[in-house]
């Protein structure tokens, strides 16, 4: 699957998120649904499986938060154009076997937002989705493209104003700037509230890759929404913030450093973590 | 056998000019000797620029190539009238390059062969959104400016029929309305574009502005323009006087007049302006539009009228309408009839390649995949070779 930097992958198990009713700690558990071999049709089987899992979870005091209508047997769609363009004669034995296997498997429907375009970028798509309000993807996408254009134009101005030696250091590709800026904003360590002895303590915890990416994007968007002057438009503010984060300065980087400092300060509570 | 050899040699010689012409104007500069090494590699890359910066010398061989306009010339010839995205592009690239295209070449050919004794011919550029009507008009204006014509350029007639904050009752005619702001801005830009003519042309009537100010007969037109810029209340009347004088005097042959109006369908449509009692105002009740309509009639000699009809910015017209009949309406079409329609369409493959090459040369396409064949094919598919769409796509790639 293209753009698989997110770690969502294609496991053959259904990941179901639970919430403890007493506390607010999130557990990740995987239930293997291979145990249910019932003599029913596929969709009835799925719905029955889900019913059983819901009942079992409610017994343990856990409720489902995010789930998928697809069962474990559904494979992710192959969107890459190069995969299909390979002539059949050039395939190795494993690849031919894999293709034959896929003909027998059920495949999920590809989401509308995933294209086989060469210009597609999963980071940009995720950021656009996070900027979207009320399902207005058209507006979010246009804001994103205007931001990239604004970043490019600013960098071109800087390039033309710089001397010959400095011109080599000026980065004009808006995509590299975007990726680097978000990477610079990612925190390394985070804080999680843990309940112990009737009090909530902020415990420093290593963050998963996707949580870090999420936090970087969330901080960037919140910063641009709340701290901008009234008449300034989002693309202008976002381009400003991205360029500052690219140079490792600016309010979002400051927030990341604040998070690190708090984690460093609460270093003694690290023992409260049990995972 | 010798005859066969000579025939072969002559055929090879006949082939050579064909190979050269693909290289555009740069070919004559390459000496013949090291041709064989250079031609194969240059043939695969499209040519995007030409060194021929004079529009009068542009021909079929320059189609798809960009020519450069210097920034000083841009400031004098185009104080207004360039599309806003083109202005941004000029600022980003630090250069103004316009593509030579077939509709503009056709118009240039007609203009070069105009008979100034005959009444002014009307040319209407029409086409779908984003095909390049305004920039073709700018190409023509640049040509006429280089040939020392007087340019009467109204950048967007739609701006005169909507969003006007201050409408005054006209001092000259009680039934009509004045638009002081729009008129004064236009007069300022007109002055920048045509400085040298304003002192030469003399006014042929006496005009009384108010109890204390008047312009005598025989004074230069620059005084009328100054009066319009200084006294904003009289700006609309100043515009009317300028138009009347220019129309009268161009027939005498002192100068050649080019009337260029972008969005001429605004003159005969509807306006969104209302009187104090909320009743709508028709275009002929606006003094600026009334005077401009007289300018667009073909009852004067010594110049040409080049017009554009556009749906962008038009009022109460469906989005897909682009033909002159649909946009001008019955009244407008009857007034403009007869005119020469010139269709401006999307890029042909050669022009598309030239445009992409121009962007690549300026490093505008920064995305790694945009340089590949796959990327180009995708851009072609997404934009359908529409110049406006292609520009917007390449802006964020």
């Amino acid at each position: 699957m293209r753009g698989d930097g997110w770690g969502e992958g294609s496991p053959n198990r259904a990941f179901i998120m639970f919430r403890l009713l007493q506390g607010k700690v999130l557990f990740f558990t995987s239930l293997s649904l291979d145990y249910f071999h019932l003599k029913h049709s596929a969709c009835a089987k799925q719905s029955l499986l889900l019913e059983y899992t819901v009942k079992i979870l409610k017994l343990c005091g856990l409720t489902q938060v995010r789930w998928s209508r697809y069962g474990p047997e559904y494979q992710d769609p192959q969107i890459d154009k190069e995969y299909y363009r390979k002539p059949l004669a050039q395939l190795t034995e494993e690849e031919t076997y894999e293709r034959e296997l896929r003909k027998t498997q059920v495949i999920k429907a590809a989401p509308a937002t995933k294209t086989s375009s060469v210009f597609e970028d999963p980071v940009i798509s995720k950021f656009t989705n996070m900027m979207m309000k009320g399902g207005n993807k058209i507006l979010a996408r246009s804001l994103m493209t205007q931001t990239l254009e604004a970043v490019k134009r600013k960098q071109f101005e800087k390039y033309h104003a710089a001397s010959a030696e400095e011109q080599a250091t000026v980065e004009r590709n808006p995509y590299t700037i975007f990726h680097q800026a978000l990477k610079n904003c990612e925190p390394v360590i985070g804080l999680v509230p843990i309940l112990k002895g009737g009090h909530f303590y902020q415990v420093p915890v290593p963050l998963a890759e996707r949580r870090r990416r999420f936090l970087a994007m969330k901080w960037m968007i919140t910063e641009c929404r709340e701290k901008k002057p009234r008449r300034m438009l989002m693309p202008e503010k976002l381009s400003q913030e991205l360029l500052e984060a690219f140079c490792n300065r600016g309010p979002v980087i400051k927030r990341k450093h604040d998070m690190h400092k708090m984690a460093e300060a609460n270093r003694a509570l690290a023992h409260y973590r049990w995972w | 056998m010798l005859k066969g050899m000579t025939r072969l040699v002559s055929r090879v010689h006949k082939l050579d000019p064909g190979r050269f012409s693909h290289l555009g104007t740069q070919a004559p500069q390459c000496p013949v000797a090291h041709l064989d090494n250079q031609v194969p590699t240059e043939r695969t890359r499209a040519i995007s620029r030409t060194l021929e910066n004079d529009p009068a010398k542009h021909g079929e061989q320059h189609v798809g190539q960009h020519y450069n306009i210097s920034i000083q010339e841009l400031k004098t010839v185009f104080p207004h009238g360039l599309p806003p995205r083109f202005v941004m592009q000029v600022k980003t690239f630090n250069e103004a390059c316009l593509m030579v295209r077939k509709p503009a070449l056709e118009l240039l050919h007609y203009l070069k062969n105009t008979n100034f004794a005959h009444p002014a011919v009307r040319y209407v550029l029409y086409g779908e959104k984003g095909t390049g009507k305004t920039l073709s008009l700018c190409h023509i204006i640049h040509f006429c400016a280089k040939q020392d014509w007087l340019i009467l350029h109204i950048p967007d007639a739609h701006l005169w029929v909507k969003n006007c904050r201050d409408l005054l009752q006209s001092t000259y005619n009680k039934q009509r309305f004045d638009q002081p702001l729009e008129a004064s801005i236009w007069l300022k830009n007109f002055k920048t574009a045509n400085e040298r003519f304003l002192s030469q042309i003399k006014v042929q009537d006496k005009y009384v502005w108010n109890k204390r100010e008047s312009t005598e007969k025989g004074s230069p037109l620059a005084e009328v323009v100054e009066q319009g810029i200084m006294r904003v209340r009289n700006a609309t009347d100043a515009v009317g006087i300028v138009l009347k004088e220019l129309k009268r005097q161009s027939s005498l042959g002192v100068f050649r007049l080019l009337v260029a109006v972008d969005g001429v369908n605004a003159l005969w449509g509807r306006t969104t302006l209302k009187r104090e009692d909320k009743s709508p105002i028709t275009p002929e009740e606006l003094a600026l539009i009334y005077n401009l309509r007289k300018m667009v009639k073909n009852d004067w000699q010594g110049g040409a009228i080049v017009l554009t009809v556009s749906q962008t910015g038009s009022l109460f017209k469906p989005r897909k309408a682009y033909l002159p009949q649909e946009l001008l309406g019955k009244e407008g079409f009857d007034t403009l009839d007869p005119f020469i329609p010139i269709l401006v369409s999307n890029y042909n493959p050669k022009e598309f390649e030239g445009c992409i090459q121009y962007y690549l040369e300026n490093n505008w396409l920064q995305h790694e995949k945009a340089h590949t064949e796959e990327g180009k094919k995708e851009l072609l598919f997404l934009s359908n070779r529409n110049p406006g769409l292609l520009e917007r796509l390449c802006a964020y790639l």
Side-chain angles (χ1 to χ4, degrees), chain B residues 122-181:
Chain B
R122 287 177 288 215
Y123 306 94
V124 173
L125 289 161
Y126 71 101
E128 291 184 328
K129 179 173 168 173
T131 42
K133 305 180 283 286
T134 309
L135 278 179
S136 299
L137 191 69
C138 292
H139 191 178
I140 304 300
I141 291 172
H142 186 221
F143 163 75
C144 294
K146 271 259 162 81
Q147 302 282 309
D148 241 7
W149 291 37
L150 208 168
I151 314 281
L152 200 79
H153 180 38
I154 285 96
D156 195 356
H158 294 296
L159 295 175
W160 287 0
V161 295
K162 53 183 179 177
N163 298 339
C164 182
R165 292 285 178 91
D166 35 2
L167 266 180
L168 303 172
Q169 196 188 36
S170 172
T171 41
Y172 184 73
N173 185 332
K174 293 275 176 259
Q175 266 73 46
R176 294 204 275 259
F177 291 94
D178 263 358
Q179 285 156 296
L181 204 64

Side-chain angles (χ1 to χ4, degrees), chain A residues 2 81-82 85 116-119 141 145 148-149 152-153 156-157 160 171-176, chain B residues 85 88-89 91-94 362-364 366-370 374-375 378-379 391 394-397:
Chain A
R2 275 197 92 213
K81 272 195 277 202
E82 299 306 317
R85 277 196 195 145
S116 53
S117 156
V118 289
F119 301 122
R141 208 179 120 110
T145 53
L148 292 168
E149 191 186 333
K152 210 180 186 185
R153 284 193 199 266
F156 263 77
E157 250 176 84
H160 288 305
E171 174 63 61
R172 289 187 283 178
N173 189 340
Y175 293 87
T176 39
Chain B
R85 282 202 78 93
M88 275 202 287
Q89 187 183 297
K91 186 162 174 276
T92 309
F93 291 168
N94 271 353
N362 281 60
N363 297 101
W364 189 230
Q366 288 280 324
H367 200 285
E368 325 69 55
K369 293 287 166 80
E374 275 288 329
E378 189 156 329
L379 281 174
E391 197 267 315
C394 295
Y396 62 83
L397 280 177

Side-chain angles (χ1 to χ4, degrees), chain B residues 58-60 63 100-110 139:
Chain B
H58 285 156
E60 293 284 315
V63 169
V100 178
R101 295 184 70 196
K102 274 221 182 75
L105 283 176
E106 195 185 329
L107 244 182
L108 283 175
H109 175 73
Y110 294 149
H139 191 178

Side-chain angles (χ1 to χ4, degrees), chain B residues 13 15-16 34 46 93 115 133 195 208 220 241-242 251 290 310 319 336 344 350 360 382-383 397:
Chain B
H13 280 302
L15 274 177
D16 284 340
H34 34 88
F93 291 168
N115 186 341
K133 305 180 283 286
E195 288 274 14
V208 179
I241 292 168
V242 162
S251 316
Y290 183 79
S310 84
R319 198 165 57 91
L336 279 186
V344 184
K350 188 162 166 234
L360 286 172
L382 286 173
S383 63
L397 280 177

Side-chain angles (χ1 to χ4, degrees), chain B residues 29-94:
Chain B
Q29 296 165 16
C30 302
V32 181
H34 34 88
L35 213 258
D36 292 318
N37 301 331
Q38 286 186 0
V39 164
T41 46
E42 289 199 17
R43 194 191 291 205
T44 49
R45 208 165 35 98
I47 303 292
S48 74
R49 280 180 206 262
T50 171
L51 296 168
E52 187 55 72
N53 288 342
D54 187 8
K57 301 202 189 114
H58 285 156
E60 293 284 315
Q61 69 272 29
H62 298 117
V63 169
Q65 296 173 20
H66 293 81
Y67 80 98
N68 198 10
I69 309 177
S70 66
I71 306 283
Q72 288 83 8
E73 242 188 294
L74 205 76
K75 284 202 189 112
T76 32
V77 178
F78 297 114
H80 56 185
L82 290 172
R85 282 202 78 93
F86 186 73
V87 173
M88 275 202 287
Q89 187 183 297
V90 166
K91 186 162 174 276
T92 309
F93 291 168
N94 271 353

Side-chain angles (χ1 to χ4, degrees), chain B residues 49 115 118 131 137 167 201-202 214 217 219 260 266 298 301 332 354 362 366:
Chain B
R49 280 180 206 262
N115 186 341
H118 289 174
T131 42
L137 191 69
L167 266 180
I201 301 170
K202 306 280 182 245
S214 68
K217 181 174 166 176
S219 51
N298 58 350
Q301 298 101 342
N362 281 60
Q366 288 280 324

